[in-house]
Amino acid sequence: MKKLALTLSMAAFALTTFAGGPAKKEAKINTEESKLQWIGEKVTGTHNGIVKIEEGTLEVADGNLTGGTVKVDMRTIEVHDLEGEYKGKLEGHLKSEDFFSAEKHQYVTFKINKSVEKDLEDGNTHMVTGDLTIKGITKEISFPARITMEEGTLKAYASFELDRTKWKIKYGSGSFFDDLGDKTIYDDFQVKFNITASM
C-alpha cells in the first residue's frame, strides 16, 4: 500500500513538472470597467487623457498572473484637459505621424512574459515584464504593479513612465532637436491603468 501511494505521488509530481506546472486559466479583460490613462508633460504644462483597451486576455495559474496580451486602440485616444477646437487639434496631432501614427499602426500591444511577486513600494505586489509594441517597434519593459485575485476576478493597477523616443516618437524632443525652447516636450510620459479581468 505504501509502495502504491509513493508511486502515485511520484506520478503526480512528474505530471505536474513535465506538463509545465499548474494548469493555466484565462481571464478576459472587462473593457468597460478597465481604464488606461496617459499624462504627457512639456515645458509649459501637462496634458492628460485616456485610450480605450480594445481587448485582452490574462493567463492565471494558482491564482498568480503568468502571462497574457492586452491590445489598445490608438484611434480612440482622448484629451481630457482641453475642450473644443484645442481638444480636437491635440487629439488629431497625437494620432498623426508625429506621434502614434494611429491609421498605420492602430493597435499598441503588450505581451506579458512574466510576473514576479515582490514586496515593493506604494503597495505594489509584483514586477511585471513583457514586450510592448508601438508603431511596429517592440521593446521589453518592466514595471511594478498591484495585483489581487479574488473569487475568479483579477485586478491590476500600475503607474509608471515610458520613454517615447525608444519607439521613435521624437516630435518636440529636446534629446534630438536644439533650440526648441518652451516648445520642448519631455521624452517620458506616464501611463496608469486599472484592469479587471474575470475567468
Side-chain angles (χ1 to χ4, degrees):
M1 192 70 177
K2 287 183 178 179
K3 275 189 175 183
L4 178 60
L6 180 60
T7 301
L8 290 173
S9 296
M10 290 178 67
F13 174 78
L15 284 171
T16 301
T17 302
F18 295 107
K24 294 180 180 179
K25 297 180 180 179
E26 289 190 346
K28 187 176 181 181
I29 292 177
N30 185 325
T31 57
E32 297 300 319
E33 291 186 14
S34 302
K35 181 184 293 186
L36 176 61
Q37 299 172 280
W38 60 269
I39 300 172
E41 294 188 55
K42 55 184 181 178
V43 171
T44 56
T46 64
H47 292 295
N48 67 82
I50 63 168
V51 189
K52 181 181 178 182
I53 297 174
E54 178 75 10
E55 61 183 11
T57 302
L58 305 180
E59 293 178 357
V60 179
D62 274 354
N64 295 314
L65 176 65
T66 58
T69 303
V70 182
K71 183 189 286 187
V72 177
D73 187 350
M74 294 311 297
R75 295 188 305 181
T76 68
I77 192 165
E78 294 181 13
V79 174
H80 283 180
D81 62 291
L82 297 174
E83 295 181 355
E85 179 184 355
Y86 293 104
K87 170 183 167 70
K89 282 185 176 180
L90 181 53
E91 289 174 349
H93 197 189
L94 291 172
K95 295 173 188 177
S96 75
E97 294 292 321
D98 285 339
F99 287 94
F100 293 101
S101 303
E103 290 304 315
K104 288 184 180 178
H105 303 283
Q106 180 177 353
Y107 297 110
V108 164
T109 60
F110 180 59
K111 181 182 179 295
I112 301 168
N113 295 329
K114 65 179 179 179
S115 173
V116 180
E117 190 170 0
K118 289 187 175 183
D119 185 14
L120 302 168
E121 296 179 352
D122 300 324
N124 292 311
T125 58
H126 292 72
M127 183 61 71
V128 179
T129 300
D131 296 324
L132 180 63
T133 301
I134 301 175
K135 297 179 72 172
I137 301 168
T138 301
K139 300 286 184 181
E140 184 178 76
I141 65 169
S142 295
F143 56 85
R146 189 182 313 141
I147 300 173
T148 60
M149 184 77 189
E150 188 175 343
E151 297 181 354
T153 298
L154 183 148
K155 292 189 176 183
Y157 168 80
S159 176
F160 56 96
E161 290 187 341
L162 294 173
D163 179 352
R164 62 190 174 95
T165 63
K166 291 182 178 180
W167 289 270
K168 296 186 178 180
I169 304 173
K170 301 175 182 178
Y171 182 86
S173 169
S175 300
F176 293 90
F177 303 100
D178 297 325
D179 303 321
L180 291 171
D182 61 7
K183 294 183 179 179
T184 301
I185 301 171
Y186 297 127
D187 294 343
D188 291 342
F189 68 99
Q190 189 174 13
V191 175
K192 294 183 179 183
F193 67 73
N194 278 288
I195 286 179
T196 299
S198 301
M199 289 185 285

